[in-house]
């Protein structure tokens, strides 16, 4: 039986939140991994994820096809995880999530490599959100270039170092009042480790070729319920002040220039107007985590393992000291 070490997997976006988890999942399965990133000198922390020589970083930028083609050379499998939540300079939604996805797909096709592409639930060519339209354009380009590509659409992901639960926990530590935008909007938070396992399963050949999977956690929660859960985990009592989408969009016109956890863009507000859950069609077709044989972990089970640091007394409070 051939070893997975004979299989070279090139991962675009391997240094990001999801990427780090995917690299670790692939390392555990003994794949040889090439991580293609814009700044490989800043991705050295990925090396200890596997055995000596198992993980190699290489420079590539989705806006430059030549660098993408070089990164894909000799690969057996290509994984594209690159995505952005906010635009900045040349890093626009269209450049990264639409044209960039097409560039990776065409390079994979030319190299004869199989392709796994990560999009997002809510990708829709007719969406009022620029982010969602670019995601949909990327999916279309991927399917056109590599019809056998497997596409994964996760809901909002949580886990250590995420920009979701950690963001609200940080805000709650700084302010006695939290704005609530889209309090009734439903989401299906999915643990990043489960998404990484699904991607690794696809590399193993366990996913359906040419299919689009929708990945969600075990619970559908409203935005209000999610924030209340984060407050309960961090033992913070905060007042939630509902904001209409109109007022939130007005505030975002200014907050889009704010740093860190305070940053909010008008496009993000637009995204919050629509539910972000696994569709009935995906469930019926078995194109879900459960369809891959993965039992998803809940927010309640995982988040306390890393959000304890936002509690007034930190880990000692968790231990009852």
């Amino acid at each position: 039986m051939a070893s997975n070490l004979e299989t070279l997997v090139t991962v675009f976006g391997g240094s990001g939140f999801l990427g780090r988890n995917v690299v670790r999942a692939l390392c555990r399965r003994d794949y040889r991994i090439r991580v293609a990133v814009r700044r490989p000198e800043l991705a050295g922390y990925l090396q200890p994820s596997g055995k000596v020589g198992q993980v190699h970083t290489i420079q590539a930028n989705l806006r430059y096809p030549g660098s993408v083609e070089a990164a894909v050379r000799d690969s057996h499998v290509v994984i594209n995880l690159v995505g952005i939540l906010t635009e900045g300079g040349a890093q626009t939604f269209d450049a990264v999530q639409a044209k960039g996805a097409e560039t990776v797909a065409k390079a994979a096709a030319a190299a004869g490599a199989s392709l796994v592409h990560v999009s997002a639930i809510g990708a829709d060519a007719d969406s009022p959100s620029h982010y969602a339209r670019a995601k949909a354009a990327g999916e279309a380009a991927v399917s056109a270039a590599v019809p056998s590509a497997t596409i994964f659409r996760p809901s909002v992901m949580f886990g250590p170092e995420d920009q979701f639960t950690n963001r609200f926990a940080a805000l709650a530590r700084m302010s006695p009042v939290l704005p609530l935008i889209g309090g009734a909007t439903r989401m299906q938070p999915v643990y990043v480790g489960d998404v990484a396992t699904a991607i690794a399963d696809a590399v193993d050949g366990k996913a359906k070729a040419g299919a689009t999977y929708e990945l969600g956690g075990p619970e559908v929660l409203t935005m209000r319920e999610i924030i209340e859960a984060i407050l309960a985990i961090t033992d913070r009592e905060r007042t939630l002040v509902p904001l209409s989408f109109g007022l939130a969009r007005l505030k975002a016109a200014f907050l889009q220039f704010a740093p860190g956890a305070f940053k909010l863009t008008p496009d993000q507000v637009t995204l919050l107007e629509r539910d972000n859950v696994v569709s009935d069609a995906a469930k019926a077709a078995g194109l879900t985590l459960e369809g891959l044989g993965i039992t998803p972990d809940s927010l309640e089970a995982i988040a306390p393992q890393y959000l304890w640091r936002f509690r007034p007394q930190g880990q000692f409070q968790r231990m009852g000291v």
Side-chain angles (χ1 to χ4, degrees):
M1 182 175 178
S3 167
N4 283 340
L5 283 174
E6 298 177 11
T7 302
L8 175 60
V9 182
T10 294
V11 183
F12 288 88
S15 62
F17 171 53
L18 173 58
R20 294 191 290 271
N21 286 271
V22 169
V23 169
R24 285 194 289 267
L26 293 172
C27 283
R28 288 193 293 268
R29 303 187 190 201
D30 289 332
Y31 286 104
R32 202 155 44 97
I33 305 162
R34 177 187 291 158
V35 183
V37 291
R38 287 190 297 159
R39 299 287 300 278
E41 71 275 12
L42 300 180
Y45 56 85
L46 293 172
Q47 302 290 341
S49 299
K51 302 179 180 69
V52 175
Q54 187 178 2
V55 179
H56 173 66
T57 57
I58 187 173
Q59 197 282 331
N61 188 321
L62 267 57
R63 293 185 290 109
Y64 297 93
S67 70
V68 173
E69 292 166 5
V72 168
R73 189 174 298 126
D74 299 324
S75 299
H76 300 93
V77 183
V78 174
I79 301 174
N80 182 24
L81 308 174
V82 181
I84 55 175
L85 291 175
T86 59
E87 297 180 300
Q91 297 294 101
T92 65
F93 291 139
D94 288 333
V96 175
Q97 296 173 172
K99 184 63 178 176
E102 180 181 30
T103 299
V104 172
K106 287 183 175 179
S114 59
L115 176 64
V116 178
H117 176 75
V118 175
S119 181
I121 286 180
D124 182 355
D126 297 319
S127 173
S129 162
H130 190 182
Y131 169 91
R133 292 196 304 273
K135 283 289 189 182
E139 289 185 6
V142 164
S143 295
V146 186
S148 61
T150 299
I151 297 174
F152 286 114
R153 291 178 169 183
S155 184
V156 60
M157 291 182 285
F158 67 89
E161 301 177 336
D162 69 28
Q163 294 298 314
F164 179 54
T165 59
N166 282 287
R167 178 181 186 181
F168 287 111
L171 287 172
R173 186 166 59 182
M174 293 183 285
S175 173
V177 177
L178 294 180
L180 179 62
I181 304 170
T185 300
R186 300 183 307 146
M187 297 186 176
Q188 201 165 343
V190 60
Y191 175 46
V192 67
D194 292 332
V195 176
T197 297
I199 293 170
D201 281 352
V203 176
D204 283 347
K206 297 177 182 178
K208 296 179 181 178
T212 298
Y213 287 77
E214 297 186 10
L215 311 181
E219 297 177 309
V220 173
L221 303 170
T222 64
M223 193 65 180
R224 175 183 284 276
E225 290 172 334
I226 292 172
I227 296 178
E228 288 176 343
I230 294 171
L231 291 175
I233 291 170
T234 58
D235 196 37
R236 302 276 182 179
E237 293 185 6
R238 296 292 183 261
T239 300
L240 300 182
V241 179
L243 293 182
S244 67
F245 287 115
L247 181 56
R249 196 170 285 106
L250 179 62
K251 290 175 67 68
F254 300 95
L255 290 177
Q256 63 183 315
F257 304 109
F262 293 100
K263 190 178 187 68
L264 178 69
T265 70
D267 198 72
Q268 289 173 336
V269 174
T270 299
L271 281 172
L272 287 171
E273 294 187 63
R274 293 190 176 186
D275 290 341
N276 194 278
V277 299
V278 174
S279 68
D280 291 336
K283 294 177 185 176
L287 300 176
T288 61
L289 283 173
E290 293 84 353
L292 288 167
I294 300 170
T295 301
D297 287 301
S298 68
L299 182 69
E300 182 182 19
I302 299 295
Q305 298 176 29
Y306 61 91
L307 288 184
W308 59 262
R309 65 193 181 93
F310 291 100
R311 293 172 176 169
Q313 298 175 38
Q315 62 179 329
F316 299 104
Q317 186 167 328
R318 177 179 60 170
M319 296 164 57
V321 177

PDB file of all heavy atoms in Angstrom, residues 8 19 23 29 44 62 65 73 75-76 96 106 124 148 154 161 182 196 238 243 264 307:
ATOM      1  N   LEU A   8       1.811  14.743  -2.853  1.00  0.00           N
ATOM      2  CA  LEU A   8       2.098  16.145  -2.560  1.00  0.00           C
ATOM      3  C   LEU A   8       0.809  16.959  -2.624  1.00  0.00           C
ATOM      4  O   LEU A   8       0.123  16.978  -3.646  1.00  0.00           O
ATOM      5  CB  LEU A   8       3.106  16.706  -3.569  1.00  0.00           C
ATOM      6  CG  LEU A   8       3.413  18.203  -3.453  1.00  0.00           C
ATOM      7  CD1 LEU A   8       3.989  18.546  -2.085  1.00  0.00           C
ATOM      8  CD2 LEU A   8       4.371  18.643  -4.567  1.00  0.00           C
ATOM      9  N   GLY A  19      -6.461  27.396   7.537  1.00  0.00           N
ATOM     10  CA  GLY A  19      -5.283  26.770   6.944  1.00  0.00           C
ATOM     11  C   GLY A  19      -4.406  26.041   7.938  1.00  0.00           C
ATOM     12  O   GLY A  19      -3.935  24.931   7.679  1.00  0.00           O
ATOM     13  N   VAL A  23      -3.505  22.093   7.646  1.00  0.00           N
ATOM     14  CA  VAL A  23      -2.131  21.590   7.584  1.00  0.00           C
ATOM     15  C   VAL A  23      -1.902  20.537   8.664  1.00  0.00           C
ATOM     16  O   VAL A  23      -1.315  19.471   8.407  1.00  0.00           O
ATOM     17  CB  VAL A  23      -1.117  22.746   7.723  1.00  0.00           C
ATOM     18  CG1 VAL A  23       0.300  22.203   7.937  1.00  0.00           C
ATOM     19  CG2 VAL A  23      -1.155  23.638   6.480  1.00  0.00           C
ATOM     20  N   ARG A  29      -2.107  12.677   8.711  1.00  0.00           N
ATOM     21  CA  ARG A  29      -2.363  11.596   7.748  1.00  0.00           C
ATOM     22  C   ARG A  29      -1.146  11.343   6.857  1.00  0.00           C
ATOM     23  O   ARG A  29      -1.229  10.624   5.856  1.00  0.00           O
ATOM     24  CB  ARG A  29      -3.591  11.942   6.908  1.00  0.00           C
ATOM     25  CG  ARG A  29      -4.823  12.187   7.777  1.00  0.00           C
ATOM     26  CD  ARG A  29      -6.087  12.356   6.987  1.00  0.00           C
ATOM     27  NE  ARG A  29      -7.176  12.813   7.855  1.00  0.00           N
ATOM     28  CZ  ARG A  29      -8.460  12.682   7.583  1.00  0.00           C
ATOM     29  NH1 ARG A  29      -8.834  12.110   6.445  1.00  0.00           N
ATOM     30  NH2 ARG A  29      -9.383  13.121   8.412  1.00  0.00           N
ATOM     31  N   GLY A  44       6.820  30.202   9.195  1.00  0.00           N
ATOM     32  CA  GLY A  44       7.697  29.160   9.722  1.00  0.00           C
ATOM     33  C   GLY A  44       7.076  28.359  10.855  1.00  0.00           C
ATOM     34  O   GLY A  44       7.466  27.214  11.104  1.00  0.00           O
ATOM     35  N   LEU A  62      -2.112  34.964  -5.445  1.00  0.00           N
ATOM     36  CA  LEU A  62      -3.186  34.623  -6.377  1.00  0.00           C
ATOM     37  C   LEU A  62      -3.355  35.654  -7.482  1.00  0.00           C
ATOM     38  O   LEU A  62      -3.937  35.352  -8.533  1.00  0.00           O
ATOM     39  CB  LEU A  62      -4.510  34.452  -5.623  1.00  0.00           C
ATOM     40  CG  LEU A  62      -4.848  33.027  -5.188  1.00  0.00           C
ATOM     41  CD1 LEU A  62      -3.751  32.443  -4.325  1.00  0.00           C
ATOM     42  CD2 LEU A  62      -6.185  32.986  -4.460  1.00  0.00           C
ATOM     43  N   PRO A  65      -0.522  34.825 -11.733  1.00  0.00           N
ATOM     44  CA  PRO A  65      -0.666  33.440 -12.207  1.00  0.00           C
ATOM     45  C   PRO A  65       0.634  32.655 -12.271  1.00  0.00           C
ATOM     46  O   PRO A  65       0.651  31.451 -11.986  1.00  0.00           O
ATOM     47  CB  PRO A  65      -1.278  33.619 -13.599  1.00  0.00           C
ATOM     48  CG  PRO A  65      -2.030  34.910 -13.505  1.00  0.00           C
ATOM     49  CD  PRO A  65      -1.191  35.785 -12.638  1.00  0.00           C
ATOM     50  N   ARG A  73       3.086  23.120  -9.343  1.00  0.00           N
ATOM     51  CA  ARG A  73       3.886  22.168 -10.127  1.00  0.00           C
ATOM     52  C   ARG A  73       4.138  20.866  -9.351  1.00  0.00           C
ATOM     53  O   ARG A  73       4.522  20.876  -8.198  1.00  0.00           O
ATOM     54  CB  ARG A  73       5.199  22.811 -10.530  1.00  0.00           C
ATOM     55  CG  ARG A  73       6.018  21.992 -11.531  1.00  0.00           C
ATOM     56  CD  ARG A  73       7.243  22.763 -11.987  1.00  0.00           C
ATOM     57  NE  ARG A  73       6.870  23.990 -12.682  1.00  0.00           N
ATOM     58  CZ  ARG A  73       7.323  25.200 -12.337  1.00  0.00           C
ATOM     59  NH1 ARG A  73       8.164  25.331 -11.329  1.00  0.00           N
ATOM     60  NH2 ARG A  73       6.951  26.270 -13.026  1.00  0.00           N
ATOM     61  N   SER A  75       2.115  18.822  -8.081  1.00  0.00           N
ATOM     62  CA  SER A  75       1.165  18.514  -7.019  1.00  0.00           C
ATOM     63  C   SER A  75       0.167  17.447  -7.459  1.00  0.00           C
ATOM     64  O   SER A  75      -0.212  17.382  -8.626  1.00  0.00           O
ATOM     65  CB  SER A  75       0.395  19.770  -6.598  1.00  0.00           C
ATOM     66  OG  SER A  75       1.265  20.764  -6.108  1.00  0.00           O
ATOM     67  N   HIS A  76      -0.255  16.632  -6.506  1.00  0.00           N
ATOM     68  CA  HIS A  76      -1.295  15.646  -6.761  1.00  0.00           C
ATOM     69  C   HIS A  76      -2.673  16.197  -6.382  1.00  0.00           C
ATOM     70  O   HIS A  76      -3.673  15.879  -7.009  1.00  0.00           O
ATOM     71  CB  HIS A  76      -1.025  14.376  -5.957  1.00  0.00           C
ATOM     72  CG  HIS A  76       0.283  13.727  -6.297  1.00  0.00           C
ATOM     73  ND1 HIS A  76       1.446  13.988  -5.597  1.00  0.00           N
ATOM     74  CD2 HIS A  76       0.609  12.840  -7.268  1.00  0.00           C
ATOM     75  CE1 HIS A  76       2.441  13.280  -6.117  1.00  0.00           C
ATOM     76  NE2 HIS A  76       1.966  12.581  -7.133  1.00  0.00           N
ATOM     77  N   VAL A  96      -9.369  38.315  -5.132  1.00  0.00           N
ATOM     78  CA  VAL A  96      -8.968  37.163  -4.317  1.00  0.00           C
ATOM     79  C   VAL A  96      -9.937  35.993  -4.457  1.00  0.00           C
ATOM     80  O   VAL A  96      -9.534  34.857  -4.727  1.00  0.00           O
ATOM     81  CB  VAL A  96      -8.852  37.573  -2.833  1.00  0.00           C
ATOM     82  CG1 VAL A  96      -8.565  36.351  -1.960  1.00  0.00           C
ATOM     83  CG2 VAL A  96      -7.759  38.617  -2.658  1.00  0.00           C
ATOM     84  N   LYS A 106      -7.347  26.856 -12.671  1.00  0.00           N
ATOM     85  CA  LYS A 106      -6.723  26.642 -13.976  1.00  0.00           C
ATOM     86  C   LYS A 106      -5.331  26.033 -13.823  1.00  0.00           C
ATOM     87  O   LYS A 106      -4.933  25.173 -14.617  1.00  0.00           O
ATOM     88  CB  LYS A 106      -6.647  27.965 -14.746  1.00  0.00           C
ATOM     89  CG  LYS A 106      -7.995  28.431 -15.276  1.00  0.00           C
ATOM     90  CD  LYS A 106      -7.861  29.707 -16.102  1.00  0.00           C
ATOM     91  CE  LYS A 106      -9.191  30.101 -16.736  1.00  0.00           C
ATOM     92  NZ  LYS A 106      -9.070  31.359 -17.534  1.00  0.00           N
ATOM     93  N   ASP A 124     -23.689  33.533  -3.408  1.00  0.00           N
ATOM     94  CA  ASP A 124     -24.869  33.723  -4.253  1.00  0.00           C
ATOM     95  C   ASP A 124     -24.574  34.838  -5.262  1.00  0.00           C
ATOM     96  O   ASP A 124     -24.262  35.959  -4.875  1.00  0.00           O
ATOM     97  CB  ASP A 124     -26.063  34.100  -3.378  1.00  0.00           C
ATOM     98  CG  ASP A 124     -27.358  34.265  -4.159  1.00  0.00           C
ATOM     99  OD1 ASP A 124     -27.335  34.184  -5.406  1.00  0.00           O
ATOM    100  OD2 ASP A 124     -28.404  34.492  -3.517  1.00  0.00           O
ATOM    101  N   SER A 148     -14.531  18.256 -11.643  1.00  0.00           N
ATOM    102  CA  SER A 148     -14.494  17.243 -10.589  1.00  0.00           C
ATOM    103  C   SER A 148     -14.124  17.826  -9.225  1.00  0.00           C
ATOM    104  O   SER A 148     -14.026  17.086  -8.237  1.00  0.00           O
ATOM    105  CB  SER A 148     -13.479  16.147 -10.947  1.00  0.00           C
ATOM    106  OG  SER A 148     -12.166  16.697 -11.063  1.00  0.00           O
ATOM    107  N   PRO A 154     -18.515  26.251   4.372  1.00  0.00           N
ATOM    108  CA  PRO A 154     -18.753  26.254   5.817  1.00  0.00           C
ATOM    109  C   PRO A 154     -19.596  27.450   6.249  1.00  0.00           C
ATOM    110  O   PRO A 154     -19.595  28.499   5.601  1.00  0.00           O
ATOM    111  CB  PRO A 154     -17.350  26.325   6.404  1.00  0.00           C
ATOM    112  CG  PRO A 154     -16.534  27.004   5.346  1.00  0.00           C
ATOM    113  CD  PRO A 154     -17.142  26.622   4.029  1.00  0.00           C
ATOM    114  N   GLU A 161      -8.158  31.255  18.186  1.00  0.00           N
ATOM    115  CA  GLU A 161      -7.614  32.247  17.250  1.00  0.00           C
ATOM    116  C   GLU A 161      -8.619  32.666  16.175  1.00  0.00           C
ATOM    117  O   GLU A 161      -8.241  33.304  15.194  1.00  0.00           O
ATOM    118  CB  GLU A 161      -6.335  31.723  16.580  1.00  0.00           C
ATOM    119  CG  GLU A 161      -5.230  31.380  17.561  1.00  0.00           C
ATOM    120  CD  GLU A 161      -4.011  30.800  16.890  1.00  0.00           C
ATOM    121  OE1 GLU A 161      -4.128  30.248  15.786  1.00  0.00           O
ATOM    122  OE2 GLU A 161      -2.922  30.898  17.479  1.00  0.00           O
ATOM    123  N   GLY A 182     -28.554  42.216  13.724  1.00  0.00           N
ATOM    124  CA  GLY A 182     -29.106  40.971  13.204  1.00  0.00           C
ATOM    125  C   GLY A 182     -29.325  39.947  14.293  1.00  0.00           C
ATOM    126  O   GLY A 182     -28.973  38.772  14.135  1.00  0.00           O
ATOM    127  N   ALA A 196     -11.645  21.199   8.919  1.00  0.00           N
ATOM    128  CA  ALA A 196     -10.328  20.684   8.507  1.00  0.00           C
ATOM    129  C   ALA A 196     -10.381  19.183   8.277  1.00  0.00           C
ATOM    130  O   ALA A 196      -9.780  18.667   7.325  1.00  0.00           O
ATOM    131  CB  ALA A 196      -9.279  21.031   9.561  1.00  0.00           C
ATOM    132  N   ARG A 238     -23.411  41.682  30.234  1.00  0.00           N
ATOM    133  CA  ARG A 238     -23.364  42.880  29.406  1.00  0.00           C
ATOM    134  C   ARG A 238     -24.753  43.172  28.838  1.00  0.00           C
ATOM    135  O   ARG A 238     -25.544  42.246  28.585  1.00  0.00           O
ATOM    136  CB  ARG A 238     -22.369  42.700  28.248  1.00  0.00           C
ATOM    137  CG  ARG A 238     -20.922  42.532  28.711  1.00  0.00           C
ATOM    138  CD  ARG A 238     -20.408  43.808  29.331  1.00  0.00           C
ATOM    139  NE  ARG A 238     -19.001  43.731  29.730  1.00  0.00           N
ATOM    140  CZ  ARG A 238     -18.578  43.498  30.955  1.00  0.00           C
ATOM    141  NH1 ARG A 238     -19.474  43.269  31.931  1.00  0.00           N
ATOM    142  NH2 ARG A 238     -17.298  43.481  31.242  1.00  0.00           N
ATOM    143  N   LEU A 243     -29.518  46.966  17.177  1.00  0.00           N
ATOM    144  CA  LEU A 243     -29.394  48.026  16.179  1.00  0.00           C
ATOM    145  C   LEU A 243     -30.101  47.587  14.914  1.00  0.00           C
ATOM    146  O   LEU A 243     -29.952  46.446  14.477  1.00  0.00           O
ATOM    147  CB  LEU A 243     -27.922  48.307  15.856  1.00  0.00           C
ATOM    148  CG  LEU A 243     -27.030  48.922  16.939  1.00  0.00           C
ATOM    149  CD1 LEU A 243     -25.638  49.151  16.370  1.00  0.00           C
ATOM    150  CD2 LEU A 243     -27.610  50.239  17.430  1.00  0.00           C
ATOM    151  N   LEU A 264     -15.969  47.174  11.427  1.00  0.00           N
ATOM    152  CA  LEU A 264     -17.228  46.669  10.886  1.00  0.00           C
ATOM    153  C   LEU A 264     -17.477  47.357   9.551  1.00  0.00           C
ATOM    154  O   LEU A 264     -17.422  48.581   9.460  1.00  0.00           O
ATOM    155  CB  LEU A 264     -18.389  46.963  11.850  1.00  0.00           C
ATOM    156  CG  LEU A 264     -19.780  46.537  11.376  1.00  0.00           C
ATOM    157  CD1 LEU A 264     -19.889  45.011  11.342  1.00  0.00           C
ATOM    158  CD2 LEU A 264     -20.861  47.121  12.283  1.00  0.00           C
ATOM    159  N   LEU A 307     -11.903  30.264  25.431  1.00  0.00           N
ATOM    160  CA  LEU A 307     -12.435  31.573  25.820  1.00  0.00           C
ATOM    161  C   LEU A 307     -12.286  31.851  27.319  1.00  0.00           C
ATOM    162  O   LEU A 307     -12.591  32.946  27.773  1.00  0.00           O
ATOM    163  CB  LEU A 307     -13.914  31.687  25.432  1.00  0.00           C
ATOM    164  CG  LEU A 307     -14.229  31.830  23.941  1.00  0.00           C
ATOM    165  CD1 LEU A 307     -15.726  32.020  23.737  1.00  0.00           C
ATOM    166  CD2 LEU A 307     -13.470  32.998  23.317  1.00  0.00           C
TER     167      LEU A 307
END
